[in-house]
Amino acid sequence: MTSPQGALERHLLDSRERIVAFVRARLGDADAADDVVQEASLRALRAAPELRDESRLPAWFHTILLNTITDMHRRGRRSERLHAAVSRESADAGPSPDEVEELCRCFEPLLQTLKPEYAEVLAADLRNEDARATAERLHITPNNLKVRRHRAREVLRARLDEACRMCGRHGCLDCTCGSL
């Protein structure tokens, strides 16, 4: 009688092409399929000592393979969300220092219409104050500061759109309000 590990190794060697074809059909990417099969094989090899019934080996490995595909999809979605968040944060970071001089100032009176904690966060942002220092000064966590800054920008963006439709859409760089 062979060990569970030996039986698994034999199954992987005998079925490799079929397994890769199965995964490739689901992913549509040969390289990703190879990566998934390799990762599933490693997971299975690590867990092989726990396998008690060799007759269930194909179904057992199939479950590991499907879980690995699911994990790969989750990592992809997580990576996409992270990339989108970084892109949004970069977009929300505001204009470059060269552009600041060209910005109109029609947003300044609108700061007074915001909740005080939102106005303070945006004012600190405009002064290029360090985020950690701002959070400490306001007695909030850095994560809370990020949330508050995001919400403040959203409210200001909506108010700016109401007051000066051109600025709200084009970022104040082509403003015609005369407050440059």
Side-chain angles (χ1 to χ4, degrees):
M1 180 170 196
T2 61
S3 70
Q5 182 129 0
L8 175 61
E9 289 172 2
R10 190 176 58 255
H11 174 72
L12 292 173
L13 289 172
D14 294 344
S15 307
R16 176 153 174 64
E17 287 182 32
R18 189 171 42 84
I19 294 169
V20 171
F22 172 82
V23 175
R24 189 179 300 137
R26 273 138 190 83
L27 299 180
D29 180 348
D31 291 335
D34 287 336
D35 290 345
V36 165
V37 171
Q38 181 177 357
E39 185 175 336
S41 298
L42 289 172
R43 288 180 182 185
L45 287 167
R46 284 187 202 114
E50 299 170 16
L51 181 62
R52 300 287 176 238
D53 183 2
E54 277 186 38
S55 66
R56 299 193 33 81
L57 188 139
W60 175 79
F61 180 73
H62 185 75
T63 300
I64 291 173
L65 188 62
L66 292 176
N67 288 339
T68 305
I69 292 170
T70 301
D71 291 347
M72 194 257 333
H73 282 299
R74 285 184 185 140
R75 279 193 305 268
R77 284 193 299 269
R78 190 178 315 127
S79 176
E80 289 170 7
R81 285 193 308 267
L82 179 60
H83 178 70
V86 168
S87 295
R88 274 195 311 274
E89 186 63 30
S90 295
D92 285 346
S96 69
D98 295 337
E99 292 173 327
V100 169
E101 297 304 317
E102 298 176 27
L103 288 176
C104 71
R105 297 291 177 201
C106 58
F107 71 90
E108 287 177 342
L110 297 175
L111 288 175
Q112 298 168 6
T113 68
L114 302 178
K115 292 179 9 181
E117 57 267 21
Y118 286 0
E120 177 58 35
V121 166
L122 291 177
D125 216 13
L126 288 170
R127 292 189 303 266
N128 291 321
E129 187 175 314
D130 179 66
R132 285 197 193 279
T134 302
E136 287 176 17
R137 185 171 50 78
L138 297 175
H139 306 293
I140 59 176
T141 65
N143 285 341
N144 186 295
L145 176 67
K146 287 179 185 178
V147 170
R148 195 176 286 184
R149 185 174 50 212
H150 173 75
R151 289 178 180 166
R153 289 174 179 170
E154 289 296 315
V155 172
L156 181 61
R157 189 174 291 122
R159 300 249 170 96
L160 190 59
D161 193 39
E162 292 169 7
C164 181
R165 293 200 184 276
M166 179 65 76
C167 294
R169 286 195 200 102
H170 300 290
C172 297
L173 294 175
D174 298 317
C175 186
T176 59
C177 72
S179 60
L180 284 173

